Amino acid sequence: MDAIPGAPATLAEDFTIPGPQGAIPARLYRPRTGGRPLPVVLYFHGGGFVGGCLDDADVPARFLAARVPALVLAVGYALAPARPFPAAPEDAHAAALWLAQQAAALGGDASRLAVAGDDAGGNLAACLTLMARDRNAPAIAAQVLVGPMLDPSMTRLGDGQRLNSDLSAADCAACYRQYLPQPRQRLHPYASPLASVRQAGLPPALVLTAECDVLHQEAEQYAAALIEAGVPTQVARFPGVTHAALARHPPALAEIAHFLGHRLGAGMAAAPNQ
């Protein structure tokens, strides 16, 4: 079902792609539009690094496929504690390389590749841009971070009670303990983008946060770091919205579609107020 009533229909196909430690589950969303090659978007679901699945990405992936329009590949990356860091970001990088290599065969345009994700998936999207820059592949044209978990040190969390947040410091701590079992990993830039001192050269970013979310301060501080490094960055905080609701919030989805349509040259994105 589409996220917004009246949105064009999309087609979805499940398969696996090769990963560094075995097959990675993936789901490709394709708009019911034909002809020219489409931009391609990697989407990473939430779940605090320890949960979540492809179904959790269904609403935003379907919406973006239809409204950008684009080919959207949702990725079922490795989860802790069975497979802690760095398994998830390595899966993300492998998926990005695969999509860049296979884009033309799928009807996409690898020169217009974007990454997006919410919650832990927002962390992976941000870390993937660092990995792709450092490893010189693949080229990423834009990044979208939706309520991302970016600071394992948890020194920038907001006051959950004051914010009426649906996510607590205890929730975040439990997730990070499983994802990053070795304390030194919390300073690795591929686990904590806020720990990186090198944001220059990253792709243009859209950072979306929710007012009722302990994570909104760290996400907005990361956006400020991107801006200071010269990365074109847009930031939007949605009033009255919780962390869990942000990735399905219609105005947020429309903002993402508009941003990606502009950055990827799709030309058919919905305006933020539609």
Side-chain angles (χ1 to χ4, degrees):
M1 180 179 297
D2 290 306
I4 302 299
T10 56
L11 303 172
E13 176 188 1
D14 286 5
F15 51 90
T16 61
I17 59 179
Q21 296 185 32
I24 301 171
R27 182 175 297 163
L28 181 68
Y29 295 84
R30 185 185 301 274
R32 291 186 183 271
T33 56
R36 57 192 172 79
L38 293 167
V40 288
V41 179
L42 274 173
Y43 194 95
F44 302 101
H45 64 78
F49 305 103
V50 299
C53 64
L54 292 176
D55 290 344
D56 295 322
D58 193 71
V59 168
R62 284 188 186 275
F63 185 91
L64 297 177
R67 291 295 182 91
V68 174
L71 297 178
V72 179
L73 185 71
V75 179
Y77 52 87
L79 297 176
R83 294 178 61 197
F85 177 85
E90 292 296 345
D91 276 359
H93 188 248
L97 290 173
W98 182 90
L99 184 56
Q101 293 165 359
Q102 300 298 321
L106 296 171
D109 178 359
S111 71
R112 295 184 290 161
L113 168 64
V115 298
D118 63 271
D119 183 77
N123 174 294
L124 294 179
C127 294
L128 176 54
T129 66
L130 294 167
M131 297 171 76
R133 179 200 61 192
D134 296 346
R135 298 176 182 183
N136 296 314
I140 297 175
Q143 58 177 312
V144 177
L145 315 181
V146 183
M149 300 177 69
L150 298 176
D151 180 26
S153 76
M154 296 175 49
T155 57
R156 300 168 177 86
L157 286 180
D159 184 329
Q161 185 173 3
R162 181 181 62 82
L163 294 170
N164 195 27
S165 175
D166 59 335
L167 186 68
S168 70
D171 296 330
C172 296
C175 291
Y176 284 130
R177 276 196 302 270
Q178 297 174 79
Y179 180 54
L180 303 165
Q182 301 176 33
R184 68 178 182 274
Q185 293 174 325
R186 299 192 175 207
L187 296 176
H188 197 295
Y190 296 169
S192 174
L194 269 168
S196 173
V197 295
R198 294 180 56 242
Q199 279 83 30
L202 296 178
L206 173 65
V207 180
L208 302 184
T209 66
E211 179 184 27
C212 304
D213 183 3
V214 294
L215 296 176
H216 79 239
Q217 293 181 176
E218 64 189 60
E220 290 163 10
Q221 288 186 33
Y222 187 63
L226 292 172
I227 291 168
E228 186 176 358
V231 177
T233 303
Q234 297 173 226
V235 191
R237 185 193 301 173
F238 291 86
V241 177
T242 63
H243 176 80
L246 184 60
R248 294 169 174 255
H249 187 50
L253 291 173
E255 186 75 31
I256 298 169
H258 181 73
F259 171 82
L260 290 178
H262 171 68
R263 287 293 173 184
L264 303 180
M268 294 177 62
N273 61 351
Q274 290 181 336

Short mmCIF file of all heavy atoms in Angstrom, two decimals, residues 134-201:
data_model
loop_
_atom_site.label_atom_id
_atom_site.label_comp_id
_atom_site.label_asym_id
_atom_site.label_seq_id
_atom_site.Cartn_x
_atom_site.Cartn_y
_atom_site.Cartn_z
N ASP A 134 36.10 7.49 1.19
CA ASP A 134 37.43 7.00 1.56
C ASP A 134 37.92 5.90 0.63
O ASP A 134 39.11 5.76 0.40
CB ASP A 134 37.41 6.48 3.00
CG ASP A 134 37.10 7.57 4.03
OD1 ASP A 134 37.17 8.77 3.66
OD2 ASP A 134 36.79 7.21 5.18
N ARG A 135 36.98 5.09 0.11
CA ARG A 135 37.34 3.95 -0.74
C ARG A 135 37.19 4.26 -2.23
O ARG A 135 37.37 3.39 -3.08
CB ARG A 135 36.48 2.75 -0.35
CG ARG A 135 36.70 2.30 1.09
CD ARG A 135 35.78 1.16 1.50
NE ARG A 135 35.98 0.77 2.90
CZ ARG A 135 35.35 -0.24 3.50
NH1 ARG A 135 34.48 -0.98 2.82
NH2 ARG A 135 35.59 -0.50 4.77
N ASN A 136 36.79 5.49 -2.52
CA ASN A 136 36.68 5.96 -3.91
C ASN A 136 35.61 5.24 -4.72
O ASN A 136 35.70 5.18 -5.95
CB ASN A 136 38.03 5.86 -4.63
CG ASN A 136 39.08 6.75 -3.99
OD1 ASN A 136 38.83 7.91 -3.71
ND2 ASN A 136 40.25 6.20 -3.75
N ALA A 137 34.60 4.68 -4.06
CA ALA A 137 33.50 4.03 -4.79
C ALA A 137 32.46 3.54 -3.77
O ALA A 137 32.82 3.12 -2.67
CB ALA A 137 34.02 2.85 -5.61
N PRO A 138 31.20 3.59 -4.22
CA PRO A 138 30.71 4.19 -5.46
C PRO A 138 30.50 5.69 -5.29
O PRO A 138 30.53 6.19 -4.15
CB PRO A 138 29.38 3.46 -5.66
CG PRO A 138 28.87 3.27 -4.27
CD PRO A 138 30.11 2.96 -3.44
N ALA A 139 30.28 6.37 -6.39
CA ALA A 139 29.96 7.80 -6.32
C ALA A 139 28.52 7.96 -5.82
O ALA A 139 27.61 7.33 -6.35
CB ALA A 139 30.11 8.43 -7.70
N ILE A 140 28.34 8.78 -4.80
CA ILE A 140 27.02 9.00 -4.21
C ILE A 140 26.64 10.46 -4.40
O ILE A 140 27.39 11.36 -4.03
CB ILE A 140 27.00 8.61 -2.72
CG1 ILE A 140 27.29 7.12 -2.57
CG2 ILE A 140 25.67 8.96 -2.07
CD1 ILE A 140 27.42 6.64 -1.14
N ALA A 141 25.46 10.69 -4.96
CA ALA A 141 25.04 12.04 -5.33
C ALA A 141 24.30 12.77 -4.22
O ALA A 141 24.24 14.00 -4.23
CB ALA A 141 24.17 11.98 -6.58
N ALA A 142 23.72 12.03 -3.26
CA ALA A 142 22.93 12.68 -2.21
C ALA A 142 22.73 11.70 -1.06
O ALA A 142 22.76 10.48 -1.25
CB ALA A 142 21.59 13.15 -2.75
N GLN A 143 22.50 12.26 0.13
CA GLN A 143 22.22 11.43 1.31
C GLN A 143 21.03 12.02 2.06
O GLN A 143 20.88 13.24 2.16
CB GLN A 143 23.43 11.34 2.23
CG GLN A 143 23.95 12.68 2.74
CD GLN A 143 25.12 12.53 3.70
OE1 GLN A 143 25.09 11.72 4.63
NE2 GLN A 143 26.18 13.32 3.48
N VAL A 144 20.20 11.12 2.61
CA VAL A 144 19.04 11.53 3.39
C VAL A 144 19.08 10.79 4.72
O VAL A 144 19.08 9.55 4.75
CB VAL A 144 17.72 11.21 2.66
CG1 VAL A 144 16.53 11.58 3.53
CG2 VAL A 144 17.65 11.95 1.33
N LEU A 145 19.11 11.54 5.82
CA LEU A 145 19.19 10.97 7.16
C LEU A 145 17.91 11.32 7.92
O LEU A 145 17.63 12.50 8.15
CB LEU A 145 20.42 11.52 7.90
CG LEU A 145 21.73 11.56 7.11
CD1 LEU A 145 22.86 12.11 7.98
CD2 LEU A 145 22.09 10.19 6.54
N VAL A 146 17.14 10.31 8.29
CA VAL A 146 15.83 10.51 8.91
C VAL A 146 15.90 10.05 10.37
O VAL A 146 16.01 8.85 10.65
CB VAL A 146 14.75 9.71 8.15
CG1 VAL A 146 13.37 9.98 8.76
CG2 VAL A 146 14.76 10.06 6.67
N GLY A 147 15.88 11.00 11.30
CA GLY A 147 15.98 10.65 12.72
C GLY A 147 17.15 9.73 13.01
O GLY A 147 16.98 8.73 13.72
N PRO A 148 18.35 10.04 12.51
CA PRO A 148 19.46 9.07 12.58
C PRO A 148 20.07 8.94 13.99
O PRO A 148 20.07 9.89 14.78
CB PRO A 148 20.49 9.66 11.61
CG PRO A 148 20.25 11.14 11.69
CD PRO A 148 18.76 11.29 11.83
N MET A 149 20.61 7.76 14.27
CA MET A 149 21.40 7.50 15.48
C MET A 149 22.87 7.72 15.10
O MET A 149 23.46 6.88 14.43
CB MET A 149 21.19 6.07 15.97
CG MET A 149 19.77 5.74 16.33
SD MET A 149 19.57 3.99 16.82
CE MET A 149 20.45 3.97 18.40
N LEU A 150 23.45 8.82 15.52
CA LEU A 150 24.77 9.20 15.01
C LEU A 150 25.85 9.27 16.08
O LEU A 150 27.03 9.45 15.75
CB LEU A 150 24.68 10.56 14.31
CG LEU A 150 23.77 10.65 13.09
CD1 LEU A 150 23.71 12.07 12.57
CD2 LEU A 150 24.23 9.69 12.00
N ASP A 151 25.50 9.14 17.36
CA ASP A 151 26.46 9.40 18.43
C ASP A 151 26.44 8.32 19.49
O ASP A 151 25.74 8.44 20.50
CB ASP A 151 26.17 10.76 19.06
CG ASP A 151 27.14 11.11 20.17
OD1 ASP A 151 28.26 10.60 20.14
OD2 ASP A 151 26.76 11.90 21.05
N PRO A 152 27.22 7.24 19.31
CA PRO A 152 27.25 6.18 20.31
C PRO A 152 27.75 6.63 21.69
O PRO A 152 27.50 5.96 22.69
CB PRO A 152 28.21 5.15 19.71
CG PRO A 152 28.16 5.40 18.25
CD PRO A 152 27.99 6.88 18.11
N SER A 153 28.44 7.77 21.76
CA SER A 153 28.86 8.27 23.07
C SER A 153 27.66 8.76 23.88
O SER A 153 27.74 8.90 25.11
CB SER A 153 29.87 9.42 22.91
OG SER A 153 29.22 10.62 22.52
N MET A 154 26.56 9.04 23.21
CA MET A 154 25.31 9.48 23.83
C MET A 154 25.48 10.76 24.65
O MET A 154 24.73 11.01 25.59
CB MET A 154 24.71 8.36 24.69
CG MET A 154 24.30 7.15 23.89
SD MET A 154 23.71 5.75 24.88
CE MET A 154 22.53 6.53 25.95
N THR A 155 26.44 11.58 24.29
CA THR A 155 26.68 12.82 25.01
C THR A 155 25.82 13.98 24.49
O THR A 155 25.82 15.06 25.09
CB THR A 155 28.16 13.22 24.92
OG1 THR A 155 28.53 13.34 23.54
CG2 THR A 155 29.04 12.17 25.59
N ARG A 156 25.12 13.76 23.42
CA ARG A 156 24.33 14.83 22.82
C ARG A 156 22.83 14.55 22.85
O ARG A 156 22.05 15.22 22.18
CB ARG A 156 24.78 15.06 21.37
CG ARG A 156 26.26 15.45 21.24
CD ARG A 156 26.69 15.38 19.79
NE ARG A 156 28.07 15.79 19.58
CZ ARG A 156 29.13 14.98 19.69
NH1 ARG A 156 28.96 13.70 20.04
NH2 ARG A 156 30.35 15.42 19.47
N LEU A 157 22.42 13.54 23.60
CA LEU A 157 21.00 13.20 23.68
C LEU A 157 20.20 14.32 24.35
O LEU A 157 20.68 14.96 25.29
CB LEU A 157 20.79 11.91 24.48
CG LEU A 157 21.16 10.58 23.82
CD1 LEU A 157 20.87 9.45 24.80
CD2 LEU A 157 20.39 10.38 22.53
N GLY A 158 18.97 14.50 23.88
CA GLY A 158 18.07 15.46 24.51
C GLY A 158 17.43 14.87 25.76
O GLY A 158 17.60 13.69 26.09
N ASP A 159 16.68 15.70 26.45
CA ASP A 159 15.96 15.30 27.66
C ASP A 159 14.65 14.62 27.23
O ASP A 159 13.73 15.29 26.78
CB ASP A 159 15.68 16.53 28.52
CG ASP A 159 15.01 16.20 29.84
OD1 ASP A 159 14.25 15.22 29.90
OD2 ASP A 159 15.23 16.95 30.80
N GLY A 160 14.59 13.31 27.39
CA GLY A 160 13.44 12.57 26.92
C GLY A 160 12.14 13.00 27.55
O GLY A 160 11.10 13.07 26.88
N GLN A 161 12.16 13.29 28.84
CA GLN A 161 10.93 13.69 29.52
C GLN A 161 10.45 15.05 29.04
O GLN A 161 9.27 15.24 28.77
CB GLN A 161 11.15 13.72 31.04
CG GLN A 161 9.89 14.00 31.85
CD GLN A 161 10.10 13.84 33.33
OE1 GLN A 161 11.22 13.58 33.78
NE2 GLN A 161 9.04 14.01 34.11
N ARG A 162 11.36 15.99 28.92
CA ARG A 162 10.98 17.33 28.45
C ARG A 162 10.47 17.29 27.01
O ARG A 162 9.54 18.00 26.65
CB ARG A 162 12.19 18.28 28.55
CG ARG A 162 11.88 19.71 28.11
CD ARG A 162 13.12 20.58 28.22
NE ARG A 162 14.20 20.14 27.35
CZ ARG A 162 14.26 20.44 26.05
NH1 ARG A 162 13.29 21.16 25.46
NH2 ARG A 162 15.28 20.03 25.33
N LEU A 163 11.09 16.44 26.19
CA LEU A 163 10.71 16.35 24.78
C LEU A 163 9.49 15.46 24.55
O LEU A 163 8.99 15.40 23.42
CB LEU A 163 11.88 15.81 23.97
CG LEU A 163 13.13 16.70 23.89
CD1 LEU A 163 14.28 15.94 23.27
CD2 LEU A 163 12.83 17.96 23.09
N ASN A 164 9.06 14.76 25.59
CA ASN A 164 7.98 13.76 25.43
C ASN A 164 8.38 12.74 24.38
O ASN A 164 7.58 12.36 23.52
CB ASN A 164 6.66 14.44 25.07
CG ASN A 164 5.46 13.52 25.26
OD1 ASN A 164 5.49 12.60 26.08
ND2 ASN A 164 4.42 13.74 24.48
N SER A 165 9.63 12.28 24.46
CA SER A 165 10.19 11.39 23.45
C SER A 165 9.70 9.96 23.63
O SER A 165 9.54 9.48 24.76
CB SER A 165 11.72 11.41 23.54
OG SER A 165 12.30 10.48 22.65
N ASP A 166 9.47 9.30 22.52
CA ASP A 166 9.11 7.87 22.55
C ASP A 166 10.35 6.99 22.60
O ASP A 166 10.25 5.77 22.69
CB ASP A 166 8.27 7.52 21.32
CG ASP A 166 8.97 7.81 20.00
OD1 ASP A 166 9.86 8.69 19.98
OD2 ASP A 166 8.64 7.18 18.99
N LEU A 167 11.53 7.59 22.52
CA LEU A 167 12.80 6.87 22.57
C LEU A 167 13.59 7.39 23.77
O LEU A 167 13.68 8.61 23.97
CB LEU A 167 13.60 7.11 21.28
CG LEU A 167 14.90 6.34 21.09
CD1 LEU A 167 14.62 4.85 20.91
CD2 LEU A 167 15.65 6.89 19.88
N SER A 168 14.14 6.49 24.57
CA SER A 168 14.84 6.90 25.79
C SER A 168 16.34 6.66 25.67
O SER A 168 16.81 5.92 24.78
CB SER A 168 14.31 6.14 27.00
OG SER A 168 14.70 4.76 26.92
N ALA A 169 17.08 7.26 26.60
CA ALA A 169 18.52 7.02 26.66
C ALA A 169 18.81 5.55 26.93
O ALA A 169 19.76 4.98 26.38
CB ALA A 169 19.15 7.90 27.74
N ALA A 170 17.98 4.92 27.76
CA ALA A 170 18.17 3.49 28.05
C ALA A 170 17.99 2.64 26.80
O ALA A 170 18.72 1.66 26.59
CB ALA A 170 17.19 3.05 29.13
N ASP A 171 17.02 3.01 25.95
CA ASP A 171 16.82 2.29 24.69
C ASP A 171 18.07 2.38 23.82
O ASP A 171 18.54 1.37 23.27
CB ASP A 171 15.64 2.88 23.91
CG ASP A 171 14.31 2.74 24.61
OD1 ASP A 171 14.13 1.76 25.36
OD2 ASP A 171 13.43 3.62 24.42
N CYS A 172 18.59 3.59 23.69
CA CYS A 172 19.78 3.80 22.86
C CYS A 172 20.98 3.04 23.41
O CYS A 172 21.73 2.39 22.66
CB CYS A 172 20.11 5.28 22.77
SG CYS A 172 18.85 6.29 21.95
N ALA A 173 21.15 3.09 24.74
CA ALA A 173 22.28 2.41 25.37
C ALA A 173 22.24 0.91 25.13
O ALA A 173 23.27 0.28 24.85
CB ALA A 173 22.31 2.72 26.86
N ALA A 174 21.04 0.32 25.25
CA ALA A 174 20.90 -1.12 25.04
C ALA A 174 21.27 -1.50 23.61
O ALA A 174 21.92 -2.53 23.38
CB ALA A 174 19.47 -1.55 25.35
N CYS A 175 20.89 -0.68 22.66
CA CYS A 175 21.22 -0.96 21.26
C CYS A 175 22.71 -0.85 21.00
O CYS A 175 23.33 -1.73 20.37
CB CYS A 175 20.46 0.01 20.35
SG CYS A 175 18.68 -0.24 20.29
N TYR A 176 23.32 0.23 21.49
CA TYR A 176 24.75 0.43 21.25
C TYR A 176 25.61 -0.62 21.93
O TYR A 176 26.66 -0.99 21.41
CB TYR A 176 25.16 1.84 21.70
CG TYR A 176 24.75 2.94 20.76
CD1 TYR A 176 24.09 4.07 21.22
CD2 TYR A 176 25.06 2.87 19.40
CE1 TYR A 176 23.73 5.11 20.36
CE2 TYR A 176 24.71 3.89 18.53
CZ TYR A 176 24.04 5.00 19.02
OH TYR A 176 23.68 6.01 18.16
N ARG A 177 25.18 -1.10 23.11
CA ARG A 177 25.97 -2.15 23.79
C ARG A 177 26.08 -3.40 22.92
O ARG A 177 27.12 -4.08 22.90
CB ARG A 177 25.31 -2.51 25.12
CG ARG A 177 25.69 -1.62 26.28
CD ARG A 177 25.34 -2.25 27.61
NE ARG A 177 23.92 -2.56 27.73
CZ ARG A 177 23.00 -1.73 28.21
NH1 ARG A 177 23.35 -0.51 28.61
NH2 ARG A 177 21.74 -2.09 28.30
N GLN A 178 25.01 -3.71 22.20
CA GLN A 178 25.02 -4.91 21.36
C GLN A 178 25.72 -4.67 20.02
O GLN A 178 26.42 -5.56 19.51
CB GLN A 178 23.59 -5.38 21.12
CG GLN A 178 22.88 -5.80 22.40
CD GLN A 178 21.42 -6.12 22.14
OE1 GLN A 178 21.09 -7.21 21.65
NE2 GLN A 178 20.54 -5.19 22.46
N TYR A 179 25.54 -3.48 19.48
CA TYR A 179 26.13 -3.18 18.17
C TYR A 179 27.62 -2.92 18.26
O TYR A 179 28.39 -3.29 17.35
CB TYR A 179 25.42 -1.95 17.58
CG TYR A 179 25.92 -1.52 16.23
CD1 TYR A 179 25.98 -2.40 15.16
CD2 TYR A 179 26.34 -0.19 16.03
CE1 TYR A 179 26.44 -1.98 13.91
CE2 TYR A 179 26.79 0.23 14.79
CZ TYR A 179 26.84 -0.67 13.73
OH TYR A 179 27.29 -0.25 12.50
N LEU A 180 28.06 -2.28 19.35
CA LEU A 180 29.46 -1.89 19.52
C LEU A 180 29.98 -2.47 20.84
O LEU A 180 30.14 -1.75 21.83
CB LEU A 180 29.57 -0.36 19.53
CG LEU A 180 29.03 0.34 18.28
CD1 LEU A 180 28.86 1.83 18.53
CD2 LEU A 180 29.93 0.09 17.08
N PRO A 181 30.24 -3.77 20.88
CA PRO A 181 30.62 -4.41 22.13
C PRO A 181 31.98 -3.97 22.68
O PRO A 181 32.24 -4.11 23.87
CB PRO A 181 30.63 -5.91 21.78
CG PRO A 181 30.81 -5.95 20.29
CD PRO A 181 30.12 -4.73 19.77
N GLN A 182 32.84 -3.43 21.84
CA GLN A 182 34.14 -2.94 22.27
C GLN A 182 34.09 -1.41 22.40
O GLN A 182 33.77 -0.72 21.43
CB GLN A 182 35.23 -3.34 21.29
CG GLN A 182 35.36 -4.84 21.09
CD GLN A 182 36.37 -5.19 20.03
OE1 GLN A 182 37.38 -4.50 19.87
NE2 GLN A 182 36.13 -6.28 19.31
N PRO A 183 34.36 -0.86 23.58
CA PRO A 183 34.22 0.59 23.79
C PRO A 183 34.93 1.45 22.75
O PRO A 183 34.40 2.49 22.35
CB PRO A 183 34.82 0.80 25.19
CG PRO A 183 34.59 -0.51 25.88
CD PRO A 183 34.76 -1.56 24.82
N ARG A 184 36.10 1.03 22.29
CA ARG A 184 36.84 1.86 21.33
C ARG A 184 36.10 2.00 20.00
O ARG A 184 36.35 2.94 19.24
CB ARG A 184 38.24 1.29 21.10
CG ARG A 184 38.29 -0.04 20.38
CD ARG A 184 39.72 -0.50 20.16
NE ARG A 184 39.80 -1.75 19.42
CZ ARG A 184 39.73 -2.94 19.99
NH1 ARG A 184 39.58 -3.04 21.31
NH2 ARG A 184 39.81 -4.04 19.26
N GLN A 185 35.20 1.06 19.70
CA GLN A 185 34.45 1.14 18.44
C GLN A 185 33.53 2.35 18.40
O GLN A 185 33.16 2.81 17.31
CB GLN A 185 33.63 -0.13 18.25
CG GLN A 185 34.46 -1.39 18.03
CD GLN A 185 33.60 -2.64 18.00
OE1 GLN A 185 32.60 -2.75 18.71
NE2 GLN A 185 33.98 -3.60 17.16
N ARG A 186 33.18 2.89 19.55
CA ARG A 186 32.26 4.02 19.59
C ARG A 186 32.87 5.31 19.04
O ARG A 186 32.15 6.28 18.83
CB ARG A 186 31.76 4.24 21.02
CG ARG A 186 31.00 3.03 21.54
CD ARG A 186 30.24 3.30 22.80
NE ARG A 186 29.45 2.13 23.19
CZ ARG A 186 28.33 2.18 23.91
NH1 ARG A 186 27.88 3.34 24.32
NH2 ARG A 186 27.68 1.07 24.21
N LEU A 187 34.17 5.30 18.83
CA LEU A 187 34.84 6.46 18.25
C LEU A 187 35.19 6.26 16.78
O LEU A 187 35.74 7.16 16.15
CB LEU A 187 36.11 6.78 19.05
CG LEU A 187 35.90 7.20 20.50
CD1 LEU A 187 37.24 7.40 21.19
CD2 LEU A 187 35.07 8.47 20.58
N HIS A 188 34.87 5.10 16.24
CA HIS A 188 35.18 4.84 14.83
C HIS A 188 34.21 5.64 13.96
O HIS A 188 33.00 5.60 14.17
CB HIS A 188 35.04 3.35 14.53
CG HIS A 188 35.70 2.93 13.26
ND1 HIS A 188 35.28 3.37 12.02
CD2 HIS A 188 36.77 2.11 13.02
CE1 HIS A 188 36.04 2.85 11.09
NE2 HIS A 188 36.95 2.09 11.66
N PRO A 189 34.71 6.38 12.98
CA PRO A 189 33.81 7.21 12.16
C PRO A 189 32.78 6.40 11.38
O PRO A 189 31.73 6.94 11.03
CB PRO A 189 34.76 7.94 11.22
CG PRO A 189 36.04 7.18 11.27
CD PRO A 189 36.12 6.58 12.63
N TYR A 190 33.05 5.11 11.10
CA TYR A 190 32.06 4.30 10.40
C TYR A 190 30.99 3.76 11.35
O TYR A 190 30.05 3.09 10.91
CB TYR A 190 32.73 3.14 9.66
CG TYR A 190 33.68 3.56 8.56
CD1 TYR A 190 34.53 2.64 7.97
CD2 TYR A 190 33.74 4.88 8.12
CE1 TYR A 190 35.42 3.01 6.96
CE2 TYR A 190 34.63 5.26 7.13
CZ TYR A 190 35.47 4.32 6.55
OH TYR A 190 36.36 4.69 5.56
N ALA A 191 31.13 4.05 12.63
CA ALA A 191 30.09 3.75 13.62
C ALA A 191 29.48 5.03 14.15
O ALA A 191 28.30 5.08 14.48
CB ALA A 191 30.67 2.94 14.78
N SER A 192 30.29 6.07 14.25
CA SER A 192 29.87 7.35 14.80
C SER A 192 30.28 8.48 13.87
O SER A 192 31.39 9.02 13.99
CB SER A 192 30.50 7.56 16.19
OG SER A 192 30.21 8.86 16.67
N PRO A 193 29.43 8.86 12.93
CA PRO A 193 29.80 9.95 12.02
C PRO A 193 30.16 11.24 12.74
O PRO A 193 31.00 12.00 12.26
CB PRO A 193 28.53 10.13 11.17
CG PRO A 193 27.86 8.81 11.21
CD PRO A 193 28.13 8.27 12.59
N LEU A 194 29.58 11.46 13.93
CA LEU A 194 29.91 12.67 14.68
C LEU A 194 31.34 12.65 15.21
O LEU A 194 31.88 13.69 15.57
CB LEU A 194 28.93 12.85 15.83
CG LEU A 194 27.68 13.69 15.49
CD1 LEU A 194 26.64 13.57 16.60
CD2 LEU A 194 28.05 15.14 15.26
N ALA A 195 31.94 11.47 15.28
CA ALA A 195 33.33 11.36 15.73
C ALA A 195 34.31 11.71 14.61
O ALA A 195 35.49 11.94 14.87
CB ALA A 195 33.61 9.96 16.25
N SER A 196 33.83 11.72 13.38
CA SER A 196 34.71 12.01 12.26
C SER A 196 35.05 13.50 12.24
O SER A 196 34.22 14.35 12.54
CB SER A 196 34.02 11.63 10.94
OG SER A 196 34.80 12.06 9.84
N VAL A 197 36.28 13.79 11.88
CA VAL A 197 36.71 15.19 11.72
C VAL A 197 36.84 15.54 10.25
O VAL A 197 37.37 16.60 9.91
CB VAL A 197 38.04 15.44 12.46
CG1 VAL A 197 37.85 15.26 13.96
CG2 VAL A 197 39.15 14.53 11.94
N ARG A 198 36.35 14.65 9.37
CA ARG A 198 36.49 14.85 7.93
C ARG A 198 35.13 14.69 7.25
O ARG A 198 34.80 13.65 6.73
CB ARG A 198 37.49 13.86 7.34
CG ARG A 198 38.92 14.03 7.80
CD ARG A 198 39.84 12.99 7.17
NE ARG A 198 39.78 13.04 5.71
CZ ARG A 198 39.36 12.04 4.95
NH1 ARG A 198 38.95 10.90 5.50
NH2 ARG A 198 39.36 12.16 3.64
N GLN A 199 34.36 15.77 7.25
CA GLN A 199 33.10 15.75 6.52
C GLN A 199 33.22 16.34 5.10
O GLN A 199 32.30 16.23 4.30
CB GLN A 199 32.01 16.53 7.28
CG GLN A 199 31.35 15.75 8.40
CD GLN A 199 32.15 15.77 9.67
OE1 GLN A 199 32.86 16.72 9.95
NE2 GLN A 199 32.04 14.71 10.46
N ALA A 200 34.34 16.96 4.81
CA ALA A 200 34.52 17.57 3.48
C ALA A 200 34.44 16.49 2.41
O ALA A 200 34.92 15.36 2.59
CB ALA A 200 35.87 18.29 3.41
N GLY A 201 33.84 16.85 1.29
CA GLY A 201 33.76 15.94 0.16
C GLY A 201 32.60 14.97 0.21
O GLY A 201 32.48 14.12 -0.68
#
